[in-house]
């Protein structure tokens, strides 16, 4: 029934790089436990070592500053819970944590947990364009703050935070700084040492690698207590046999990235998409359009049309796009990110997230626009009648 | 093969709607499955496999069947509509001394209204459900609903509020089958729900009963307490904790002892008194109904009326009163005419419409 099979939800996950199949086969032969001392452990251990080096070079850090985890959510949990647990014994008086207002759920959900164990958690609000209120941040940050966590690039709207500036403010009061960089990797250029962050999270499956592998950058000297106990892996910072295959795929995928060229290419397609949509559909508003943001992300609302209905119609036509966060489909609550930006509920419920990647083509963008135009026109024609019995 | 049209099928995760979806795929329709999530199942403590439509396992089952049939499937969150259109009126009805029938409201406002809108949104030609009912064009050329092949499972009783104008957009694929045939089809086609138990009772009420449901979810509503009185003399047999614990014709759980079986005859919402009496006191010659909805033109003749789901129709006259109310006179006395339930009228097998018992 579907007209195509076009994927435009790259911020949810990415298809594995087509070339990965061939190299995977070769890694499959290295099935030993990398912690084993005998010959079967050596090959997998080497894969981990090589991968770590490739990734460290790309991210501009020392290989031993990278911890392999199961993904972005684990990295965010390890960064926040692990550093706070370690800091507790060093600076028991530091009982305050600062989060950005539009963090990923794997950061946001820790707010309640931290409050339960005695922390005060303050969130830095954002404005209509996803920009942080830095004056508020400067006012509330003090010697009591143990950790600040603000994402580099937002997963839904794509806005970038001024991390470098926020890090120096944190460091001036002796607070550590974590940044969720999951969405930034493979979409914009940045260097960890330039950002100055103490902790940073990454995920493999957002950059054309296999699912099941993430990274936590932990700057040398940043205290961190493991959250998974039971082994000496990752220098005692994360127990458990490493996912060698996924780790290898992450390093390999990163090495394939034609960074500047890809980022330009995505931006060109994205800008063309937005220009066409604004021209062809009445009542399109693109969130944070004039802000610094990811080159692949379009978050928009189309006045008076249900985001859920658009998503389902597009799906039936063979286009996969996002509404809100990927994990909460079936959830009628509009995106918390849009709500935090002060977007009214009705608008947030009319939103779509279109995110592209290195496989996206000009033709796909044009096909998508044509189909969305048709879907919106169909749905708008239904509006006046409303539900059959509503109002009776 | 050219598609016979696009159908939105309401899948509850039960065997009937699963087979309905499978039959439509087999018949060459382009099928899209949806499940309405109607109640926050995180608070439900219904035992697994009880076959109610609000548990997450049911959503999973519906999804598994859709995957098996290789059709698109979506979960529609209808919690707020369900609460305002089904659960709130259900509670108000009990608190008003009546015995509600929430499945009709669910059909009226969700399945055959909200989903009709979804059907249009998704560019579908038809809406299908797993109801045991038939759609037929009558002698006048008018589309109508008639009772299903399985007279024991027939569910037309719950469909009397359907707008006649949408009937030609509806499909009831299992209406021509018996429950046994439906189960056999599910088994033969490897649908995992083949052996699942039938849903019984009300989907959002768990084993602790509707009284407990109301107490737990609507603690702000004060229970209307009162006396249990013997009909007709008025002798006080005991006290009770709230009229919402009683239903007309109820025998068990009255909390009184008696040398002969006693039944709830009447709930007096004014005084809070619950009247109990003997079996013979349960019978009535007539009743009044309101908020009627007709699928066909009603004439001055004898119809068959069902005053509860699990009942064969009884012959009755329908006499129009003021304000859209009707007086229904039974040819033979009927047992436990229950306010809040539906009176649904048939001419032979054809569903004519109905109203709510006052």
């Amino acid at each position: 029934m579907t007209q195509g099979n076009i994927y435009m939800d790259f911020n949810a996950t990415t298809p594995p790089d087509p070339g990965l199949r061939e190299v995977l086969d070769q890694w499959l032969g290295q099935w030993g436990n990398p912690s084993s001392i005998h010959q079967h452990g050596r090959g997998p251990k080497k894969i981990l070592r090589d991968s770590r080096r490739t990734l460290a070079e790309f991210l501009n850090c020392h290989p031993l500053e990278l911890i392999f985890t199961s993904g972005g959510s684990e990295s965010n949990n390890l960064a926040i819970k692990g550093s706070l647990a370690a800091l507790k014994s060093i600076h028991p008086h530091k009982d305050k944590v600062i989060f950005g207002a539009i963090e990923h759920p794997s950061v946001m959900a820790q707010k309640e947990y931290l409050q339960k164990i005695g922390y005060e958690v303050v969130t830095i609000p954002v404005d209509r364009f996803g920009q942080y209120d830095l004056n508020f941040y400067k006012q509330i940050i003090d010697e009591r703050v143990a950790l600040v966590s603000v994402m580099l690039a937002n997963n839904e709207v794509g806005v970038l935070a001024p991390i470098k500036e926020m890090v120096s403010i944190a460091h001036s009061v002796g607070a550590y700084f974590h940044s969720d960089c999951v969405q930034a990797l493979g979409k914009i250029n940045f260097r960890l040492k330039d950002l100055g962050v103490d902790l940073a999270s990454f995920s493999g499956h957002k950059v054309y690698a296999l699912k099941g592998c993430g990274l936590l950058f932990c700057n040398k000297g940043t205290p961190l207590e493991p959250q998974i106990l039971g082994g000496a892996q990752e220098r005692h910072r994360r127990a458990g046999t490493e996912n060698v295959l996924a780790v290898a795929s992450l390093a390999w995928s990163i090495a394939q990235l034609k960074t500047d060229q890809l980022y330009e290419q995505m931006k060109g397609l994205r800008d063309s998409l937005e220009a066409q949509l604004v021209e062809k559909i009445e009542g399109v508003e693109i969130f944070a359009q004039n802000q610094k943001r990811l080159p692949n992300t379009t978050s928009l609302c189309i006045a008076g049309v249900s985001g859920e209905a658009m998503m389902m119609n597009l799906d039936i036509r063979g286009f996969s796009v996002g509404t809100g966060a990927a994990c909460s489909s079936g959830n009628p609550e509009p995106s918390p990110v849009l709500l935090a930006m002060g977007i009214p509920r009705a608008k947030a419920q009319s939103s779509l997230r279109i995110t592209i990647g290195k496989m996206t083509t000009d033709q796909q963008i044009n096909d998508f626009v044509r189909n969305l135009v048709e879907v919106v026109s169909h749905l708008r024609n239904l509006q006046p009648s409303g539900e059959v019995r509503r109002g009776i | 093969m050219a598609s016979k049209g696009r159908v939105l099928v309401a899948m509850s995760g039960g065997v009937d709607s699963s087979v309905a979806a499978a039959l439509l795929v087999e018949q060459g329709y382009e099928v899209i499955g949806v499940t309405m999530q109607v109640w926050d199942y995180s608070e439900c403590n219904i035992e697994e496999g009880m076959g109610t439509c609000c548990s997450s396992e049911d959503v999973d089952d519906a999804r598994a069947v859709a995957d098996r049939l290789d059709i698109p499937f979506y979960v529609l969150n209808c919690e707020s509509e369900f609460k305002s259109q089904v659960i709130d009126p259900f509670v108000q009805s009990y608190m008003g001394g009546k015995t509600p029938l929430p499945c009709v409201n669910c059909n009226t406002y969700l399945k055959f209204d909200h989903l009709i809108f979804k059907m249009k949104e998704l560019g579908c030609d038809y809406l299908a459900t797993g109801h045991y009912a038939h759609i037929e064009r009558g002698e006048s050329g008018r589309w109508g609903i008639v009772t299903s092949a399985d007279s024991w499972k027939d569910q037309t009783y719950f469909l009397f509020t359907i707008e006649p104008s949408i009937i030609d957009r509806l499909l009831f694929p299992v209406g021509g089958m018996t429950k046994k045939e439906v189960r056999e089809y599910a088994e033969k086609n490897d649908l995992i729900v083949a052996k699942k138990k039938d849903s019984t009772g009300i989907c959002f009420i768990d084993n602790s009963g509707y009284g407990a449901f109301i107490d737990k979810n609507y603690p702000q509503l004060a229970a209307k307490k009162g006396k249990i009185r013997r009909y007709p003399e008025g002798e006080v047999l005991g006290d009770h904790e709230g009229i919402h614990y009683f239903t007309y014709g109820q025998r068990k759980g009255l909390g009184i002892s008696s040398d002969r079986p006693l039944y709830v005859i009447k709930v007096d919402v004014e005084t809070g008194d619950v009247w109990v009496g003997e079996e013979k006191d349960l019978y009535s010659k007539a009743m009044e109904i309101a908020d009627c909805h007709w699928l066909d033109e009603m004439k001055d003749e004898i119809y068959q009326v069902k005053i509860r789901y699990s009942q064969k129709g009884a012959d009755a006259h329908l006499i129009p009163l003021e304000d859209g109310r009707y007086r229904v006179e039974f040819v033979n006395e009927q047992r436990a005419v229950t306010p809040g339930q539906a009176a649904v009228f048939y001419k032979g097998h054809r569903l004519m419409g109905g109203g709510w018992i006052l």
Side-chain angles (χ1 to χ4, degrees):
Chain A
M1 83 171 49
T2 50
Q3 297 176 7
N5 176 19
I6 295 176
Y7 188 73
M8 302 186 99
D9 199 11
F10 279 74
N11 284 12
T13 193
T14 52
D17 189 295
L20 195 56
R21 279 171 200 277
E22 292 167 35
V23 277
L24 266 180
D25 196 49
Q26 151 200 335
W27 297 326
L28 268 173
Q30 306 293 333
W31 47 264
N33 189 327
S35 298
S36 298
I37 300 159
H38 51 62
Q39 55 166 330
H40 285 94
R42 279 173 218 138
K45 187 87 182 167
K46 181 174 185 307
I47 291 181
L48 289 184
R49 193 170 51 240
D50 291 349
S51 301
R52 203 186 301 274
R53 195 176 301 135
T54 306
L55 291 164
E57 209 167 293
F58 185 85
L59 294 168
N60 180 227
C61 66
H62 192 275
L64 296 183
E65 290 175 321
L66 291 179
I67 303 166
F68 292 126
T69 66
S70 64
S73 290
E74 188 193 331
S75 294
N76 283 340
N77 273 268
L78 175 58
I80 295 170
K81 289 185 200 155
S83 66
L84 289 176
L87 285 167
K88 193 88 193 163
S89 48
I90 310 170
H91 305 291
H93 66 285
K94 287 187 181 271
D95 60 352
K96 193 166 156 184
V97 176
I98 297 175
F99 285 169
I102 52 174
E103 295 301 303
H104 186 265
S106 61
V107 169
M108 273 313 182
Q110 295 186 68
K111 182 176 174 177
E112 206 179 317
Y113 167 76
L114 294 175
Q115 284 168 337
K116 224 183 316 182
I117 60 170
Y119 285 92
E120 182 192 346
V121 184
V122 187
T123 50
I124 317 165
V126 290
D127 66 12
R128 192 63 194 244
F129 308 104
Q131 303 301 303
Y132 288 99
D133 184 342
L134 293 180
N135 283 329
F136 176 89
Y137 174 52
K138 285 175 200 160
Q139 273 164 27
I140 54 147
I141 197 159
D142 55 32
E143 306 283 332
R144 276 176 58 212
V145 175
L147 181 73
V148 179
S149 181
V150 177
M151 72 201 322
L152 174 53
N154 179 263
N155 51 318
E156 289 187 44
V157 183
V159 283
L160 307 182
I163 295 296
K164 200 169 170 175
E165 187 184 346
M166 295 175 97
V167 168
S168 39
I169 295 168
H171 284 172
S172 71
V173 296
Y176 286 90
F177 200 103
H178 164 250
S179 184
D180 172 353
C181 298
V182 165
Q183 294 293 347
L185 186 62
K187 292 172 195 147
I188 53 166
N189 287 313
F190 62 95
R191 292 162 70 83
L192 282 173
K193 297 291 160 167
D194 288 348
L195 290 178
V197 295
D198 304 294
L199 298 145
S201 306
F202 304 94
S203 167
H205 75 98
K206 309 282 190 194
V207 286
Y208 315 99
L210 298 182
K211 288 167 188 63
C213 168
L215 289 176
L216 179 64
F217 159 76
C218 182
N219 194 24
K220 196 177 175 202
T222 300
L224 189 75
E225 252 183 36
Q227 298 300 297
I228 298 179
L229 306 175
Q233 291 91 349
E234 300 303 299
R235 303 214 152 201
H236 293 278
R237 292 170 298 184
R238 199 273 190 185
T241 302
E242 301 86 345
N243 187 344
V244 178
L245 222 55
V247 166
S249 77
L250 171 55
W252 185 86
S253 297
I254 286 294
Q256 310 303 309
L257 281 180
K258 296 186 178 66
T259 51
D260 293 341
Q261 185 196 325
L262 171 62
Y263 304 163
E264 275 305 305
Q265 173 193 325
M266 292 196 297
K267 185 172 183 302
L269 291 171
R270 198 269 315 267
D271 289 349
S272 149
L273 167 75
E274 292 184 351
Q276 290 191 58
L277 291 179
V278 169
E279 187 205 319
K280 292 177 180 166
I281 300 174
E282 217 175 292
V284 173
E285 181 185 337
I286 291 161
F287 298 123
Q289 191 174 16
N290 299 318
Q291 309 303 317
K292 278 188 186 161
R293 59 184 173 134
L294 293 175
N296 80 315
T297 302
T298 293
S299 173
L300 53 77
C301 82
I302 299 185
V305 187
S306 144
E308 183 188 58
M310 283 191 280
M311 191 278 290
M312 291 191 291
N313 270 286
L314 287 167
D315 182 40
I316 291 164
R317 289 162 175 258
F319 296 88
S320 301
V321 299
T323 55
C327 11
S328 52
S329 55
N331 183 346
E333 280 301 298
S335 147
V337 169
L338 296 181
L339 294 182
M341 286 167 55
I343 309 289
R345 280 183 92 81
K347 264 193 175 181
Q349 267 158 341
S350 296
S351 70
L352 277 187
R353 181 185 73 174
I354 305 143
T355 53
I356 61 173
K358 69 176 178 180
M359 292 83 169
T360 308
T361 64
D362 212 28
Q363 179 68 43
Q364 289 182 342
I365 296 284
N366 297 341
D367 285 351
F368 174 79
V369 170
R370 199 180 61 248
N371 276 277
L372 184 56
V373 167
E374 286 173 16
V375 165
V376 169
S377 143
H378 164 69
L379 292 173
R380 279 188 171 154
N381 283 336
L382 291 179
Q383 298 303 318
S385 65
E387 299 201 14
V388 184
R389 220 177 281 254
R390 189 131 296 173
I392 291 180
Chain B
M1 184 171 61
S3 167
K4 293 169 78 174
R6 187 184 284 176
V7 188
L8 185 72
V9 55
M11 300 175 71
S12 67
V15 65
D16 302 326
S17 56
S18 298
V19 168
L23 286 168
L24 292 168
V25 170
E26 191 180 284
Q27 289 160 11
Y29 289 95
E30 181 188 333
V31 182
I32 298 167
V34 287
T35 292
M36 294 188 291
Q37 189 180 304
V38 293
W39 182 247
D40 181 0
Y41 47 75
S42 62
E43 287 179 21
C44 261
N45 58 347
I46 296 171
E47 283 172 32
E48 277 181 41
M50 280 298 283
T52 62
C53 54
C54 72
S55 69
S56 62
E57 289 108 298
D58 290 321
V59 174
D60 288 346
D61 286 347
R63 192 188 301 278
V65 169
D67 287 344
R68 169 95 183 76
L69 300 174
D70 195 20
I71 58 172
F73 174 80
Y74 307 102
V75 178
L76 302 175
N77 191 303
C78 304
E79 279 172 24
S80 62
E81 286 99 334
F82 193 73
K83 183 169 186 306
S84 62
Q85 306 285 16
V86 180
I87 298 187
D88 288 347
F90 168 86
V91 172
Q92 278 154 19
S93 178
Y94 263 121
M95 299 315 270
K98 296 180 176 179
T99 302
L101 189 62
C103 305
V104 172
N105 276 1
C106 181
N107 285 336
T108 312
Y109 298 107
L110 284 110
K111 290 199 192 99
F112 300 108
D113 182 49
H114 187 64
L115 286 190
I116 287 284
F117 187 67
K118 289 286 158 195
M119 170 191 89
K120 293 178 182 170
E121 268 193 350
L122 295 177
C124 295
D125 305 297
Y126 304 101
L127 171 68
T129 68
H131 281 106
Y132 285 86
H134 249 318
I135 294 190
E136 208 174 79
R137 200 188 274 259
E139 286 155 27
S140 59
R142 233 173 133 147
W143 288 96
I145 295 173
V146 295
T147 52
S148 68
D150 190 331
S151 59
W152 178 247
K153 285 299 294 183
D154 176 64
Q155 289 168 328
T156 51
Y157 178 74
F158 298 107
L159 302 178
F160 77 95
T161 59
I162 283 182
E163 286 295 333
S165 62
I166 66 162
I167 293 178
D168 63 348
R169 305 285 295 267
L170 301 179
L171 299 172
F172 299 132
V174 302
M177 299 163 83
T178 63
K179 184 81 192 195
K180 189 164 169 280
E181 288 167 340
V182 167
R183 283 197 186 280
E184 282 166 3
Y185 181 92
E187 206 146 332
K188 208 170 67 197
N189 288 274
D190 203 16
L191 302 179
I192 59 158
V193 293
K195 295 208 168 88
K196 202 164 162 178
K197 280 187 204 166
D198 273 11
S199 58
T200 51
I202 298 164
C203 73
F204 54 90
I205 300 295
D206 64 20
N207 296 333
S208 47
Y210 63 83
F213 172 87
I214 294 171
D215 292 344
K216 184 181 162 216
N217 293 287
Y218 291 76
Q220 72 280 16
L221 296 178
K224 184 102 185 170
K225 296 181 184 180
K227 307 279 180 213
I228 297 180
R229 290 182 187 273
R230 183 74 160 84
Y231 182 86
E233 301 84 6
E235 180 198 346
V236 175
L237 303 178
D239 298 306
H240 69 80
E241 288 303 303
I243 54 172
H244 62 286
Y245 277 100
F246 299 91
T247 259
Y248 281 60
Q250 176 182 341
R251 200 184 125 186
K252 290 177 181 165
L254 299 181
I256 48 167
S257 58
S258 168
D259 51 357
R260 63 180 79 189
L262 292 176
Y263 303 83
V264 174
I265 304 293
K266 183 178 159 56
V267 175
D268 189 334
V269 65
E270 298 291 322
T271 61
D273 288 349
V274 172
W275 292 79
V276 297
E278 292 171 38
E279 167 99 34
K280 65 175 170 54
D281 302 321
L282 278 171
Y283 286 82
S284 317
K285 282 189 83 80
M287 63 181 180
E288 275 189 26
I289 60 173
D291 298 320
C292 298
H293 185 267
W294 305 113
L295 285 85
D296 216 330
E297 201 184 325
M298 298 304 278
K299 297 172 189 151
D300 182 20
E301 51 188 273
I302 286 194
Y303 291 100
Q304 290 71 50
V305 61
K306 280 174 80 161
I307 58 168
R308 60 176 53 81
Y309 170 52
S310 54
Q311 188 202 30
K312 281 178 75 175
D315 288 352
H317 285 283
L318 192 62
I319 300 151
L321 303 174
E322 289 175 342
D323 313 327
R325 288 174 301 120
Y326 287 80
R327 179 174 168 82
V328 181
E329 290 182 355
F330 303 114
V331 172
N332 297 309
E333 286 193 329
Q334 294 297 304
R335 186 183 185 277
V337 171
T338 305
Q341 294 282 295
V344 179
F345 293 79
Y346 297 84
K347 191 73 196 174
H349 290 293
R350 194 173 172 90
L351 174 67
M352 302 301 285
W356 296 96
I357 300 173
L358 292 174

